[in-house]
Amino acid sequence: MVQELETTPKKLQILAKKGITTKEDLLYFLPRKYNDFTNVYREVLPIHAEQSGCFIGKLVKLTKSQTANNCTMVKFTLITGNNQFVTVKFFGKAFMFKYLENFKNTVVAVAGTLHFDDADGFSINEPAHVVPEYSVRKISKIEPVYTKFTGISEDYLVGLIDDAIDEE
């Protein structure tokens, strides 16, 4: 039995353009890649550069500013267990400043990809998650990443897919 999708007409139209019209179609809509955040690092070393994982440290120096192209940048420093400084940046997500204020001077887990260059040192751009350290188990997992749809957030799409799986 083919089950039609239950969502708004506008979202149905967006999904239909990608060939998704039934719950069964959602079951065969595969991620384009996976982010692996299963490794948890309390210390950051040069060998960790270009690796994804959960990086644990104290959140300090939280700032919000405008970039040259008028984009809001939220930035903080993560100080890891071996006293390495990691610059963490969000672009175009001003709302993150208010969320992150709750964690100033506390130990957090940041899920993302660690980068290193000689000029700027360690950095994580656009992390997937920032949570209190005690919640690291919630984010230290492998996460699917789906193709983006204009007009449908990834969280909403994942919710539709989860609903389709639950009904199988």
Side-chain angles (χ1 to χ4, degrees):
M1 182 173 140
V2 175
Q3 293 185 11
E4 298 299 318
L5 295 173
E6 297 174 18
T7 187
T8 66
K10 185 174 182 178
K11 287 184 170 64
L12 285 172
Q13 185 178 29
I14 293 167
L15 291 165
K17 286 181 182 176
K18 299 289 185 178
I20 301 170
T21 58
T22 66
K23 290 185 179 184
E24 184 178 10
D25 293 337
L26 281 171
L27 296 176
Y28 292 100
F29 183 69
L30 301 176
R32 62 183 172 85
K33 71 174 189 171
Y34 291 89
N35 287 329
D36 183 353
F37 301 129
T38 55
N39 294 316
V40 178
Y41 302 98
R42 294 185 181 281
E43 295 184 350
V44 172
L45 302 169
I47 62 169
H48 298 138
E50 305 312 318
Q51 291 187 27
S52 294
C54 290
F55 300 89
I56 309 290
K58 186 174 183 179
L59 188 156
V60 298
K61 297 183 185 174
L62 176 64
T63 62
K64 180 170 64 172
S65 60
Q66 295 297 119
T67 63
N69 61 353
N70 208 27
C71 178
T72 300
M73 179 176 63
V74 175
K75 176 170 81 169
F76 66 87
T77 301
L78 186 74
I79 303 175
T80 65
N82 60 336
N83 287 320
Q84 286 290 341
F85 289 62
V86 179
T87 302
V88 181
K89 298 177 188 175
F90 292 91
F91 298 96
K93 297 179 181 169
F95 65 91
M96 287 301 295
F97 184 80
K98 189 168 180 94
Y99 171 74
L100 293 168
E101 277 186 316
N102 297 311
F103 304 121
K104 280 171 64 174
N105 298 312
T106 64
V107 178
V108 297
V110 178
T113 301
L114 184 71
H115 302 284
F116 181 80
D117 72 48
D118 292 331
D120 297 324
F122 291 106
S123 65
I124 300 172
N125 294 328
E126 300 290 347
H129 307 283
V130 178
V131 297
E133 178 187 24
Y134 60 81
S135 295
V136 70
R137 285 188 172 160
K138 293 179 182 176
I139 65 169
S140 61
K141 58 186 177 183
I142 297 174
E143 292 185 343
V145 178
Y146 292 94
T147 301
K148 296 190 185 304
F149 291 85
T150 302
I152 298 179
S153 72
E154 185 161 352
D155 288 342
Y156 190 84
L157 179 63
V158 168
L160 288 175
I161 294 168
D162 286 346
D163 289 347
I165 291 169
D166 288 345
E167 290 186 19
E168 281 297 307

